[in-house]
């Protein structure tokens, strides 16, 4: 039962994923959650997030925001980002994941869901047989309380950490350094 909540991978942030490796493995589409995955809850996209999406598109990835937020919130977020989106996704229900695959024009084996919540992002991806990456949820240093759902998630992740069968199912895709630092360095040497 708990394995339906286990992510394929668990990494520090969206900026610590080796996207080039994922692409070389045959993945072609990335579905992102927004709040506490890409930015703090309710915030607009940052320059780093905008650069991340440009980088992903340069690699060749198709991207989509799969969010339980409303259209207004998402459209404000993507002002400078060229990506598809599904608003009011009702994650973890399966219909939006299926619709996302259709919009991206990929098979489920070519897609990855990236999010910060076990009970929505990861559970929904697992219900649809889509590989997924859980990132540590973003929080401010001043935040001391994490809420009941996050406390339960911590317990699930502790069990997950002891499950060799369920960890690293994609295969060591976490980078030690933030990728954008490397991207900026690569671009400056090309120019």
């Amino acid at each position: 039962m708990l394995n339906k909540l286990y992510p394929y991978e668990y990494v520090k942030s969206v900026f610590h994923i080796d996207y080039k490796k994922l692409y070389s493995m045959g993945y072609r589409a990335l579905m992102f959650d927004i709040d506490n995955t890409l930015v703090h809850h309710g915030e607009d996209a940052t320059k780093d997030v905008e650069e991340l999406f440009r980088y992903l598109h340069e690699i060749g990835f198709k991207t989509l925001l799969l969010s339980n937020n409303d259209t207004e919130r998402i459209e404000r977020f993507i002002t400078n980002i060229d990506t598809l989106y599904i608003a009011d996704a009702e994650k973890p229900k399966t219909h939006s994941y299926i619709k996302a695959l259709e919009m991206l024009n990929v098979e489920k084996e070519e897609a990855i869901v990236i999010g910060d919540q076990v009970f929505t992002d990861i559970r929904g991806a697992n219900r649809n047989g889509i590989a997924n990456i859980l990132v540590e949820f973003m929080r401010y240093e001043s935040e001391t309380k994490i809420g009941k759902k996050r406390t339960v998630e911590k317990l699930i992740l502790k069990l997950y950490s002891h499950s060799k069968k369920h960890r690293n199912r994609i295969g060591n895709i976490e980078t030690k350094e933030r990728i954008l630092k490397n991207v900026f360095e690569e671009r400056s040497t090309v120019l």
Side-chain angles (χ1 to χ4, degrees):
M1 174 66 182
L2 279 179
N3 62 346
K4 293 177 182 177
L5 300 173
Y6 289 162
Y8 282 47
E9 300 286 339
Y10 182 38
V11 301
K12 184 173 182 165
S13 79
V14 296
F15 300 105
H16 289 86
I17 297 171
D18 188 341
Y19 294 102
K20 287 182 178 178
K21 183 174 183 178
L22 291 177
Y23 195 84
S24 72
M25 296 170 75
Y27 294 103
R28 296 296 179 260
L30 303 170
M31 298 179 222
F32 287 92
D33 176 51
I34 299 174
D35 289 330
N36 296 325
T37 297
L38 293 168
V39 295
H40 289 283
H41 185 79
E43 289 183 353
D44 292 336
T46 63
K47 294 291 182 197
D48 280 352
V49 170
E50 292 169 3
E51 184 64 26
L52 173 64
F53 276 81
R54 280 190 288 277
Y55 172 67
L56 296 174
H57 296 152
E58 285 175 11
I59 292 172
F61 279 110
K62 299 175 183 180
T63 60
L64 181 139
L65 298 177
L66 185 62
S67 177
N68 287 344
N69 283 303
D70 62 26
T71 300
E72 181 182 331
R73 159 73 171 123
I74 297 171
E75 288 181 349
R76 188 179 79 240
F77 183 82
I78 63 170
T79 300
N80 297 314
I81 299 173
D82 181 23
T83 191
L84 300 169
Y85 68 87
I86 296 175
D88 301 310
E90 298 184 84
K91 296 179 291 184
K93 293 182 179 177
T94 60
H95 63 89
S96 290
Y97 292 85
I98 295 165
K99 181 179 177 183
L101 292 171
E102 291 169 359
M103 289 172 67
L104 291 162
N105 195 28
V106 294
E107 300 297 321
K108 65 182 175 181
E109 295 80 16
E110 298 174 294
I112 294 182
V113 171
I114 301 171
D116 70 298
Q117 290 192 42
V118 167
F119 293 107
T120 55
D121 306 306
I122 303 309
R123 184 169 176 236
N126 284 337
R127 290 173 81 187
N128 285 283
I130 302 171
N132 53 76
I133 301 170
L134 180 70
V135 297
E136 292 179 17
F137 71 95
M138 299 175 78
R139 58 194 266 202
Y140 296 104
E141 289 181 23
S142 61
E143 286 181 276
T144 55
K145 296 183 179 180
I146 60 172
K148 293 176 186 174
K149 193 183 281 187
R150 292 293 188 186
T151 302
V152 174
E153 280 185 353
K154 269 179 88 170
L155 294 171
I156 291 167
L157 291 172
K158 187 162 185 84
L159 294 171
Y160 164 78
S161 71
H162 296 291
S163 173
K164 290 181 182 176
K165 177 182 176 184
H166 293 98
R167 287 183 301 140
N168 299 320
R169 287 183 273 170
I170 296 174
N172 194 23
I173 49 87
E174 185 170 20
T175 63
K176 292 185 192 290
E177 289 189 37
R178 278 178 60 102
I179 59 160
L180 285 182
K181 177 183 176 199
N182 297 335
V183 170
F184 291 135
E185 288 172 1
E186 286 174 17
R187 287 194 179 148
S188 64
T189 57
V190 170
L191 301 174

